[in-house]
PDB file of all heavy atoms in Angstrom:
ATOM      1  N   SER A  17     -49.035  14.736 -31.163  1.00 84.00           N
ATOM      2  CA  SER A  17     -47.843  13.901 -31.032  1.00 84.00           C
ATOM      3  C   SER A  17     -46.912  14.516 -29.995  1.00 84.00           C
ATOM      4  O   SER A  17     -46.930  15.728 -29.776  1.00 84.00           O
ATOM      5  CB  SER A  17     -47.108  13.835 -32.371  1.00 84.00           C
ATOM      6  OG  SER A  17     -47.951  13.283 -33.356  1.00 84.00           O
ATOM      7  N   ASN A  18     -46.099  13.686 -29.368  1.00 89.00           N
ATOM      8  CA  ASN A  18     -45.110  14.220 -28.435  1.00 89.00           C
ATOM      9  C   ASN A  18     -44.098  15.103 -29.155  1.00 89.00           C
ATOM     10  O   ASN A  18     -43.565  16.032 -28.559  1.00 89.00           O
ATOM     11  CB  ASN A  18     -44.388  13.097 -27.706  1.00 89.00           C
ATOM     12  CG  ASN A  18     -45.227  12.512 -26.598  1.00 89.00           C
ATOM     13  OD1 ASN A  18     -46.027  13.209 -25.985  1.00 89.00           O
ATOM     14  ND2 ASN A  18     -45.064  11.227 -26.352  1.00 89.00           N
ATOM     15  N   TYR A  19     -43.838  14.802 -30.430  1.00 92.00           N
ATOM     16  CA  TYR A  19     -42.952  15.653 -31.230  1.00 92.00           C
ATOM     17  C   TYR A  19     -43.253  15.446 -32.709  1.00 92.00           C
ATOM     18  O   TYR A  19     -43.839  14.442 -33.104  1.00 92.00           O
ATOM     19  CB  TYR A  19     -41.472  15.360 -30.946  1.00 92.00           C
ATOM     20  CG  TYR A  19     -40.982  14.034 -31.483  1.00 92.00           C
ATOM     21  CD1 TYR A  19     -40.425  13.939 -32.762  1.00 92.00           C
ATOM     22  CD2 TYR A  19     -41.070  12.879 -30.725  1.00 92.00           C
ATOM     23  CE1 TYR A  19     -39.973  12.729 -33.254  1.00 92.00           C
ATOM     24  CE2 TYR A  19     -40.620  11.663 -31.208  1.00 92.00           C
ATOM     25  CZ  TYR A  19     -40.073  11.597 -32.479  1.00 92.00           C
ATOM     26  OH  TYR A  19     -39.634  10.393 -32.970  1.00 92.00           O
ATOM     27  N   THR A  20     -42.854  16.441 -33.485  1.00 93.00           N
ATOM     28  CA  THR A  20     -42.865  16.329 -34.939  1.00 93.00           C
ATOM     29  C   THR A  20     -41.533  16.854 -35.442  1.00 93.00           C
ATOM     30  O   THR A  20     -40.844  17.605 -34.749  1.00 93.00           O
ATOM     31  CB  THR A  20     -44.005  17.125 -35.599  1.00 93.00           C
ATOM     32  OG1 THR A  20     -43.872  18.494 -35.244  1.00 93.00           O
ATOM     33  CG2 THR A  20     -45.359  16.614 -35.161  1.00 93.00           C
ATOM     34  N   GLU A  21     -41.178  16.443 -36.635  1.00 92.00           N
ATOM     35  CA  GLU A  21     -39.930  16.891 -37.250  1.00 92.00           C
ATOM     36  C   GLU A  21     -40.227  17.579 -38.563  1.00 92.00           C
ATOM     37  O   GLU A  21     -41.119  17.164 -39.305  1.00 92.00           O
ATOM     38  CB  GLU A  21     -39.011  15.697 -37.526  1.00 92.00           C
ATOM     39  CG  GLU A  21     -38.546  15.001 -36.285  1.00 92.00           C
ATOM     40  CD  GLU A  21     -37.615  13.840 -36.592  1.00 92.00           C
ATOM     41  OE1 GLU A  21     -36.801  13.926 -37.535  1.00 92.00           O
ATOM     42  OE2 GLU A  21     -37.737  12.823 -35.901  1.00 92.00           O
ATOM     43  N   SER A  22     -39.455  18.629 -38.845  1.00 92.00           N
ATOM     44  CA  SER A  22     -39.570  19.335 -40.113  1.00 92.00           C
ATOM     45  C   SER A  22     -38.269  20.062 -40.388  1.00 92.00           C
ATOM     46  O   SER A  22     -37.749  20.763 -39.509  1.00 92.00           O
ATOM     47  CB  SER A  22     -40.731  20.339 -40.057  1.00 92.00           C
ATOM     48  OG  SER A  22     -40.836  21.043 -41.276  1.00 92.00           O
ATOM     49  N   ARG A  23     -37.738  19.879 -41.583  1.00 93.00           N
ATOM     50  CA  ARG A  23     -36.549  20.601 -42.053  1.00 93.00           C
ATOM     51  C   ARG A  23     -35.389  20.579 -41.054  1.00 93.00           C
ATOM     52  O   ARG A  23     -34.765  21.588 -40.773  1.00 93.00           O
ATOM     53  CB  ARG A  23     -36.913  22.024 -42.409  1.00 93.00           C
ATOM     54  CG  ARG A  23     -37.952  22.087 -43.512  1.00 93.00           C
ATOM     55  CD  ARG A  23     -38.332  23.474 -43.842  1.00 93.00           C
ATOM     56  NE  ARG A  23     -39.462  23.429 -44.750  1.00 93.00           N
ATOM     57  CZ  ARG A  23     -39.676  24.313 -45.680  1.00 93.00           C
ATOM     58  NH1 ARG A  23     -38.861  25.319 -45.847  1.00 93.00           N
ATOM     59  NH2 ARG A  23     -40.731  24.208 -46.451  1.00 93.00           N
ATOM     60  N   GLY A  24     -35.151  19.406 -40.492  1.00 93.00           N
ATOM     61  CA  GLY A  24     -34.020  19.241 -39.589  1.00 93.00           C
ATOM     62  C   GLY A  24     -34.246  19.759 -38.178  1.00 93.00           C
ATOM     63  O   GLY A  24     -33.310  19.843 -37.385  1.00 93.00           O
ATOM     64  N   MET A  25     -35.493  20.095 -37.859  1.00 95.00           N
ATOM     65  CA  MET A  25     -35.823  20.595 -36.531  1.00 95.00           C
ATOM     66  C   MET A  25     -36.824  19.652 -35.871  1.00 95.00           C
ATOM     67  O   MET A  25     -37.647  19.034 -36.538  1.00 95.00           O
ATOM     68  CB  MET A  25     -36.413  22.006 -36.602  1.00 95.00           C
ATOM     69  CG  MET A  25     -35.526  23.026 -37.306  1.00 95.00           C
ATOM     70  SD  MET A  25     -33.961  23.316 -36.493  1.00 95.00           S
ATOM     71  CE  MET A  25     -34.480  24.302 -35.107  1.00 95.00           C
ATOM     72  N   VAL A  26     -36.760  19.578 -34.553  1.00 95.00           N
ATOM     73  CA  VAL A  26     -37.690  18.762 -33.764  1.00 95.00           C
ATOM     74  C   VAL A  26     -38.522  19.709 -32.908  1.00 95.00           C
ATOM     75  O   VAL A  26     -37.972  20.554 -32.194  1.00 95.00           O
ATOM     76  CB  VAL A  26     -36.928  17.767 -32.873  1.00 95.00           C
ATOM     77  CG1 VAL A  26     -37.886  16.990 -31.988  1.00 95.00           C
ATOM     78  CG2 VAL A  26     -36.093  16.821 -33.722  1.00 95.00           C
ATOM     79  N   PHE A  27     -39.837  19.574 -32.983  1.00 96.00           N
ATOM     80  CA  PHE A  27     -40.777  20.407 -32.238  1.00 96.00           C
ATOM     81  C   PHE A  27     -41.444  19.528 -31.185  1.00 96.00           C
ATOM     82  O   PHE A  27     -42.206  18.621 -31.533  1.00 96.00           O
ATOM     83  CB  PHE A  27     -41.825  21.001 -33.185  1.00 96.00           C
ATOM     84  CG  PHE A  27     -41.218  21.869 -34.258  1.00 96.00           C
ATOM     85  CD1 PHE A  27     -40.665  21.307 -35.402  1.00 96.00           C
ATOM     86  CD2 PHE A  27     -41.184  23.243 -34.110  1.00 96.00           C
ATOM     87  CE1 PHE A  27     -40.102  22.106 -36.388  1.00 96.00           C
ATOM     88  CE2 PHE A  27     -40.627  24.057 -35.082  1.00 96.00           C
ATOM     89  CZ  PHE A  27     -40.084  23.484 -36.229  1.00 96.00           C
ATOM     90  N   VAL A  28     -41.124  19.785 -29.927  1.00 96.00           N
ATOM     91  CA  VAL A  28     -41.641  18.964 -28.831  1.00 96.00           C
ATOM     92  C   VAL A  28     -42.877  19.630 -28.239  1.00 96.00           C
ATOM     93  O   VAL A  28     -42.839  20.795 -27.845  1.00 96.00           O
ATOM     94  CB  VAL A  28     -40.567  18.761 -27.740  1.00 96.00           C
ATOM     95  CG1 VAL A  28     -41.135  17.977 -26.553  1.00 96.00           C
ATOM     96  CG2 VAL A  28     -39.349  18.030 -28.315  1.00 96.00           C
ATOM     97  N   SER A  29     -43.964  18.873 -28.176  1.00 95.00           N
ATOM     98  CA  SER A  29     -45.192  19.362 -27.546  1.00 95.00           C
ATOM     99  C   SER A  29     -44.939  19.621 -26.065  1.00 95.00           C
ATOM    100  O   SER A  29     -44.029  19.049 -25.467  1.00 95.00           O
ATOM    101  CB  SER A  29     -46.305  18.329 -27.687  1.00 95.00           C
ATOM    102  OG  SER A  29     -46.654  18.162 -29.036  1.00 95.00           O
TER     103      SER A  29
END
Side-chain angles (χ1 to χ4, degrees):
S17 300
N18 282 329
Y19 71 91
T20 59
E21 295 181 37
S22 179
R23 300 179 188 212
M25 304 297 285
V26 176
F27 300 81
V28 176
S29 295

